[in-house]
Amino acid sequence: IKRGVTLVDAVRDKYCSGVSGELECDMFIHTSSNRMLPVQLVGQDSIIQQQSVLDELKAVYLNGSEFSTMGPAGDVGKTIPRVSELDLSSTLVSSWQEVVKLSDELPKLRLLDISRNEIVWTSLEIPKTPIFQNLRSLILNNCFFADWKTAMSVTSKIQGLAELHMAGNSIRDLQCEDIIASVGKVE
């Protein structure tokens, strides 16, 4: 049984490795042929530069990681404040409420992928105020949705949402009081 790790721990596991008690982040240059060439920092400022790598990340891909919880409030926002794309697909997160915590932590988030997670939608608590102010794309493929009404209640507080992916769910019909109002301007 895997217990899971916090988002910050998952980010550090993916993008950094500990060497003799110091934080050392792997840095790469992506080539046009989609290869990663390692970059090694040298000099007295290398440790400070390596620690600041996480501060500069704009896209974080934790697909298949052991992420399950946000951890202490404020940690995510302090560690990866510039992130606008976040892939949490195939992780251990099982609660929409846990995902919603990202709204305050990552205000620049524009794309969020939580596909292929066994999220429990039956005990859903919908926030009273808008969430994810800048989120434009939400990917919920294979997330065990059983009906359209639940899916729309999940997205109802994401006012700027323009793109919603919901492939591979068990939605059998689109029954909802007002299907046009529930979809809004989502593509």
Side-chain angles (χ1 to χ4, degrees):
I1 295 176
K2 292 183 181 179
R3 297 188 130 206
V5 298
T6 67
L7 184 62
V8 170
D9 288 341
V11 168
R12 286 186 176 137
D13 287 348
K14 168 87 182 217
Y15 294 96
C16 302
S17 61
V19 176
S20 60
E22 298 291 337
L23 180 67
E24 183 177 302
C25 291
D26 295 326
M27 295 193 315
F28 299 93
I29 296 174
H30 292 275
T31 67
S32 60
S33 61
N34 207 22
R35 289 186 23 213
M36 295 187 333
L37 297 176
V39 174
Q40 182 179 6
L41 297 175
V42 293
Q44 68 189 75
D45 296 327
S46 66
I47 292 176
I48 293 169
Q49 290 174 347
Q50 290 167 353
Q51 289 175 332
S52 70
V53 168
L54 297 179
D55 290 347
E56 299 300 320
L57 288 174
K58 290 186 172 62
V60 171
Y61 303 99
L62 297 175
N63 183 325
S65 75
E66 293 184 2
F67 157 72
S68 65
T69 181
M70 290 306 138
D75 278 4
V76 173
K78 283 188 272 185
T79 305
I80 51 172
R82 290 177 171 48
V83 168
S84 61
E85 291 185 21
L86 182 59
D87 182 349
L88 299 175
S89 59
S90 300
T91 61
L92 301 176
V93 68
S94 62
S95 161
W96 175 247
Q97 283 73 22
E98 204 60 33
V99 173
V100 168
K101 292 177 185 177
L102 284 170
S103 181
D104 291 331
E105 297 279 339
L106 298 174
K108 296 178 181 181
L109 197 61
R110 296 183 56 81
L111 181 144
L112 176 61
D113 186 349
I114 58 170
S115 298
R116 296 176 306 283
N117 281 298
E118 294 186 31
I119 295 177
V120 178
W121 301 106
T122 53
S123 60
L124 190 62
E125 293 177 27
I126 303 301
K128 294 182 182 0
T129 58
I131 56 174
F132 296 112
Q133 297 295 320
N134 291 305
L135 194 69
R136 299 296 173 256
S137 182
L138 179 60
I139 306 169
L140 299 169
N141 297 333
N142 299 297
C143 279
F144 300 91
F145 279 103
D147 62 77
W148 184 252
K149 188 174 182 179
T150 302
M152 290 302 96
S153 66
V154 165
T155 60
S156 66
K157 296 296 182 177
I158 307 173
Q159 297 176 340
L161 193 63
E163 188 177 323
L164 177 63
H165 299 258
M166 295 195 58
N169 287 291
S170 299
I171 298 174
R172 302 218 189 297
D173 60 55
L174 297 176
Q175 289 184 1
C176 196
E177 291 81 37
D178 185 356
I179 193 77
I180 301 301
S182 71
V183 175
K185 60 184 179 182
V186 174
E187 295 175 2

